[in-house]
Amino acid sequence: MKTIQFASACLFASLAAFASFGAQAADTQPAEPYHYGQKLDVKQVIAIQEEAASPFDCGIVNARMDYLDSHGQPHSVAYRKFATNCNEGG
Protein backbone atom coordinates (compact mmCIF):
# COMPACT_ATOMS: atom_id res chain seq x y z
CA MET A 1 0.00 0.00 0.00
CA LYS A 2 2.81 2.43 0.85
CA THR A 3 4.44 1.73 -2.54
CA ILE A 4 1.27 2.79 -4.37
CA GLN A 5 1.02 5.98 -2.31
CA PHE A 6 4.69 6.76 -2.97
CA ALA A 7 4.29 6.13 -6.72
CA SER A 8 1.20 8.34 -6.81
CA ALA A 9 3.05 11.13 -5.01
CA CYS A 10 5.98 10.90 -7.44
CA LEU A 11 3.65 11.00 -10.43
CA PHE A 12 1.81 14.03 -9.05
CA ALA A 13 5.11 15.84 -8.35
CA SER A 14 6.42 15.18 -11.86
CA LEU A 15 3.17 16.40 -13.45
CA ALA A 16 3.26 19.56 -11.34
CA ALA A 17 6.87 20.19 -12.38
CA PHE A 18 5.98 19.71 -16.05
CA ALA A 19 3.06 22.17 -15.80
CA SER A 20 5.30 24.69 -14.05
CA PHE A 21 7.96 24.31 -16.76
CA GLY A 22 5.36 24.86 -19.48
CA ALA A 23 4.10 28.03 -17.82
CA GLN A 24 7.65 29.37 -17.42
CA ALA A 25 8.51 28.57 -21.04
CA ALA A 26 5.41 30.39 -22.26
CA ASP A 27 6.24 33.47 -20.13
CA THR A 28 9.64 33.83 -21.79
CA GLN A 29 8.34 33.80 -25.34
CA PRO A 30 6.69 36.83 -26.96
CA ALA A 31 2.96 36.64 -27.59
CA GLU A 32 1.80 36.49 -31.19
CA PRO A 33 -0.94 39.07 -31.91
CA TYR A 34 -4.27 37.39 -32.67
CA HIS A 35 -6.16 38.35 -35.82
CA TYR A 36 -9.79 37.58 -36.63
CA GLY A 37 -10.25 34.16 -38.20
CA GLN A 38 -6.81 32.89 -37.14
CA LYS A 39 -6.74 29.11 -36.64
CA LEU A 40 -5.21 28.11 -33.30
CA ASP A 41 -4.00 24.59 -32.48
CA VAL A 42 -4.81 24.54 -28.76
CA LYS A 43 -4.41 21.22 -26.95
CA GLN A 44 -4.10 22.62 -23.40
CA VAL A 45 -4.47 26.13 -22.00
CA ILE A 46 -1.76 26.87 -19.45
CA ALA A 47 -2.73 30.40 -18.40
CA ILE A 48 -4.90 33.36 -19.32
CA GLN A 49 -3.81 36.76 -18.08
CA GLU A 50 -5.22 40.25 -18.54
CA GLU A 51 -3.96 43.73 -17.79
CA ALA A 52 -4.75 44.92 -14.33
CA ALA A 53 -7.69 47.30 -14.43
CA SER A 54 -9.48 49.18 -11.72
CA PRO A 55 -11.82 46.83 -9.88
CA PHE A 56 -14.69 49.19 -10.74
CA ASP A 57 -13.95 49.59 -14.47
CA CYS A 58 -15.59 47.56 -17.20
CA GLY A 59 -13.90 47.96 -20.56
CA ILE A 60 -11.55 46.52 -23.14
CA VAL A 61 -8.16 45.26 -21.86
CA ASN A 62 -5.13 43.52 -23.35
CA ALA A 63 -4.99 39.80 -22.60
CA ARG A 64 -2.62 36.89 -23.22
CA MET A 65 -3.26 33.16 -23.48
CA ASP A 66 -0.39 30.71 -23.00
CA TYR A 67 -1.09 27.23 -24.36
CA LEU A 68 0.37 23.98 -25.67
CA ASP A 69 -0.38 22.87 -29.23
CA SER A 70 -1.18 19.29 -30.28
CA HIS A 71 2.59 18.56 -30.46
CA GLY A 72 3.23 19.84 -26.92
CA GLN A 73 4.95 23.05 -28.10
CA PRO A 74 4.23 26.21 -26.05
CA HIS A 75 2.66 29.24 -27.72
CA SER A 76 1.26 32.57 -26.59
CA VAL A 77 -1.33 34.74 -28.26
CA ALA A 78 -2.16 38.37 -27.39
CA TYR A 79 -5.68 39.70 -27.87
CA ARG A 80 -8.16 42.30 -26.59
CA LYS A 81 -11.22 41.42 -24.52
CA PHE A 82 -13.73 42.79 -22.09
CA ALA A 83 -12.27 42.93 -18.58
CA THR A 84 -13.26 40.18 -16.17
CA ASN A 85 -15.00 42.86 -14.12
CA CYS A 86 -17.56 43.19 -16.94
CA ASN A 87 -18.61 39.56 -16.40
CA GLU A 88 -19.07 40.14 -12.68
CA GLY A 89 -21.64 42.89 -13.07
CA GLY A 90 -19.05 45.66 -12.55
PDB file of all heavy atoms in Angstrom, residues 2-15:
ATOM      1  N   LYS A   2       1.930   1.266   0.789  1.00  0.00           N
ATOM      2  CA  LYS A   2       2.810   2.433   0.846  1.00  0.00           C
ATOM      3  C   LYS A   2       3.495   2.664  -0.500  1.00  0.00           C
ATOM      4  O   LYS A   2       3.736   3.791  -0.889  1.00  0.00           O
ATOM      5  CB  LYS A   2       3.848   2.261   1.951  1.00  0.00           C
ATOM      6  CG  LYS A   2       3.257   2.151   3.312  1.00  0.00           C
ATOM      7  CD  LYS A   2       3.842   3.180   4.206  1.00  0.00           C
ATOM      8  CE  LYS A   2       3.274   2.976   5.594  1.00  0.00           C
ATOM      9  NZ  LYS A   2       2.946   4.192   6.217  1.00  0.00           N
ATOM     10  N   THR A   3       3.805   1.605  -1.236  1.00  0.00           N
ATOM     11  CA  THR A   3       4.444   1.731  -2.539  1.00  0.00           C
ATOM     12  C   THR A   3       3.521   2.447  -3.516  1.00  0.00           C
ATOM     13  O   THR A   3       3.956   3.308  -4.278  1.00  0.00           O
ATOM     14  CB  THR A   3       4.815   0.348  -3.096  1.00  0.00           C
ATOM     15  OG1 THR A   3       5.627  -0.329  -2.139  1.00  0.00           O
ATOM     16  CG2 THR A   3       5.547   0.470  -4.405  1.00  0.00           C
ATOM     17  N   ILE A   4       2.242   2.141  -3.484  1.00  0.00           N
ATOM     18  CA  ILE A   4       1.275   2.787  -4.374  1.00  0.00           C
ATOM     19  C   ILE A   4       1.150   4.264  -4.023  1.00  0.00           C
ATOM     20  O   ILE A   4       1.133   5.122  -4.906  1.00  0.00           O
ATOM     21  CB  ILE A   4      -0.095   2.090  -4.292  1.00  0.00           C
ATOM     22  CG1 ILE A   4       0.019   0.685  -4.871  1.00  0.00           C
ATOM     23  CG2 ILE A   4      -1.157   2.887  -5.027  1.00  0.00           C
ATOM     24  CD1 ILE A   4      -1.213  -0.158  -4.678  1.00  0.00           C
ATOM     25  N   GLN A   5       1.113   4.586  -2.732  1.00  0.00           N
ATOM     26  CA  GLN A   5       1.020   5.980  -2.314  1.00  0.00           C
ATOM     27  C   GLN A   5       2.274   6.741  -2.741  1.00  0.00           C
ATOM     28  O   GLN A   5       2.189   7.877  -3.203  1.00  0.00           O
ATOM     29  CB  GLN A   5       0.832   6.078  -0.805  1.00  0.00           C
ATOM     30  CG  GLN A   5      -0.525   5.607  -0.343  1.00  0.00           C
ATOM     31  CD  GLN A   5      -0.628   5.559   1.158  1.00  0.00           C
ATOM     32  OE1 GLN A   5       0.377   5.494   1.869  1.00  0.00           O
ATOM     33  NE2 GLN A   5      -1.864   5.574   1.660  1.00  0.00           N
ATOM     34  N   PHE A   6       3.435   6.127  -2.581  1.00  0.00           N
ATOM     35  CA  PHE A   6       4.693   6.763  -2.968  1.00  0.00           C
ATOM     36  C   PHE A   6       4.727   6.989  -4.480  1.00  0.00           C
ATOM     37  O   PHE A   6       5.101   8.064  -4.953  1.00  0.00           O
ATOM     38  CB  PHE A   6       5.891   5.910  -2.530  1.00  0.00           C
ATOM     39  CG  PHE A   6       7.214   6.501  -2.926  1.00  0.00           C
ATOM     40  CD1 PHE A   6       7.710   7.610  -2.276  1.00  0.00           C
ATOM     41  CD2 PHE A   6       7.956   5.942  -3.961  1.00  0.00           C
ATOM     42  CE1 PHE A   6       8.922   8.154  -2.631  1.00  0.00           C
ATOM     43  CE2 PHE A   6       9.170   6.488  -4.333  1.00  0.00           C
ATOM     44  CZ  PHE A   6       9.653   7.595  -3.678  1.00  0.00           C
ATOM     45  N   ALA A   7       4.309   6.000  -5.262  1.00  0.00           N
ATOM     46  CA  ALA A   7       4.290   6.132  -6.718  1.00  0.00           C
ATOM     47  C   ALA A   7       3.314   7.225  -7.151  1.00  0.00           C
ATOM     48  O   ALA A   7       3.613   8.012  -8.051  1.00  0.00           O
ATOM     49  CB  ALA A   7       3.926   4.801  -7.365  1.00  0.00           C
ATOM     50  N   SER A   8       2.176   7.296  -6.499  1.00  0.00           N
ATOM     51  CA  SER A   8       1.199   8.340  -6.815  1.00  0.00           C
ATOM     52  C   SER A   8       1.765   9.718  -6.504  1.00  0.00           C
ATOM     53  O   SER A   8       1.595  10.662  -7.275  1.00  0.00           O
ATOM     54  CB  SER A   8      -0.085   8.133  -6.025  1.00  0.00           C
ATOM     55  OG  SER A   8      -0.708   6.935  -6.411  1.00  0.00           O
ATOM     56  N   ALA A   9       2.448   9.852  -5.383  1.00  0.00           N
ATOM     57  CA  ALA A   9       3.048  11.134  -5.008  1.00  0.00           C
ATOM     58  C   ALA A   9       4.124  11.540  -6.008  1.00  0.00           C
ATOM     59  O   ALA A   9       4.217  12.709  -6.393  1.00  0.00           O
ATOM     60  CB  ALA A   9       3.633  11.050  -3.597  1.00  0.00           C
ATOM     61  N   CYS A  10       4.930  10.595  -6.451  1.00  0.00           N
ATOM     62  CA  CYS A  10       5.975  10.896  -7.439  1.00  0.00           C
ATOM     63  C   CYS A  10       5.361  11.322  -8.770  1.00  0.00           C
ATOM     64  O   CYS A  10       5.836  12.268  -9.406  1.00  0.00           O
ATOM     65  CB  CYS A  10       6.881   9.685  -7.654  1.00  0.00           C
ATOM     66  SG  CYS A  10       7.938   9.341  -6.246  1.00  0.00           S
ATOM     67  N   LEU A  11       4.316  10.646  -9.182  1.00  0.00           N
ATOM     68  CA  LEU A  11       3.645  11.000 -10.431  1.00  0.00           C
ATOM     69  C   LEU A  11       3.056  12.398 -10.342  1.00  0.00           C
ATOM     70  O   LEU A  11       3.214  13.208 -11.250  1.00  0.00           O
ATOM     71  CB  LEU A  11       2.546   9.986 -10.750  1.00  0.00           C
ATOM     72  CG  LEU A  11       1.717  10.280 -12.002  1.00  0.00           C
ATOM     73  CD1 LEU A  11       2.608  10.264 -13.240  1.00  0.00           C
ATOM     74  CD2 LEU A  11       0.601   9.275 -12.150  1.00  0.00           C
ATOM     75  N   PHE A  12       2.399  12.700  -9.242  1.00  0.00           N
ATOM     76  CA  PHE A  12       1.814  14.026  -9.054  1.00  0.00           C
ATOM     77  C   PHE A  12       2.893  15.107  -9.066  1.00  0.00           C
ATOM     78  O   PHE A  12       2.735  16.145  -9.694  1.00  0.00           O
ATOM     79  CB  PHE A  12       1.029  14.069  -7.742  1.00  0.00           C
ATOM     80  CG  PHE A  12       0.421  15.413  -7.468  1.00  0.00           C
ATOM     81  CD1 PHE A  12      -0.692  15.832  -8.177  1.00  0.00           C
ATOM     82  CD2 PHE A  12       0.958  16.257  -6.520  1.00  0.00           C
ATOM     83  CE1 PHE A  12      -1.262  17.073  -7.933  1.00  0.00           C
ATOM     84  CE2 PHE A  12       0.410  17.493  -6.276  1.00  0.00           C
ATOM     85  CZ  PHE A  12      -0.710  17.903  -6.978  1.00  0.00           C
ATOM     86  N   ALA A  13       4.011  14.862  -8.396  1.00  0.00           N
ATOM     87  CA  ALA A  13       5.106  15.842  -8.352  1.00  0.00           C
ATOM     88  C   ALA A  13       5.692  16.078  -9.743  1.00  0.00           C
ATOM     89  O   ALA A  13       5.992  17.212 -10.120  1.00  0.00           O
ATOM     90  CB  ALA A  13       6.194  15.377  -7.383  1.00  0.00           C
ATOM     91  N   SER A  14       5.845  15.010 -10.526  1.00  0.00           N
ATOM     92  CA  SER A  14       6.419  15.181 -11.862  1.00  0.00           C
ATOM     93  C   SER A  14       5.449  15.926 -12.774  1.00  0.00           C
ATOM     94  O   SER A  14       5.868  16.748 -13.591  1.00  0.00           O
ATOM     95  CB  SER A  14       6.804  13.831 -12.463  1.00  0.00           C
ATOM     96  OG  SER A  14       5.671  13.021 -12.649  1.00  0.00           O
ATOM     97  N   LEU A  15       4.151  15.665 -12.652  1.00  0.00           N
ATOM     98  CA  LEU A  15       3.171  16.400 -13.455  1.00  0.00           C
ATOM     99  C   LEU A  15       3.130  17.873 -13.068  1.00  0.00           C
ATOM    100  O   LEU A  15       3.038  18.750 -13.927  1.00  0.00           O
ATOM    101  CB  LEU A  15       1.786  15.779 -13.300  1.00  0.00           C
ATOM    102  CG  LEU A  15       1.588  14.420 -13.951  1.00  0.00           C
ATOM    103  CD1 LEU A  15       0.205  13.872 -13.615  1.00  0.00           C
ATOM    104  CD2 LEU A  15       1.787  14.493 -15.451  1.00  0.00           C
TER     105      LEU A  15
END
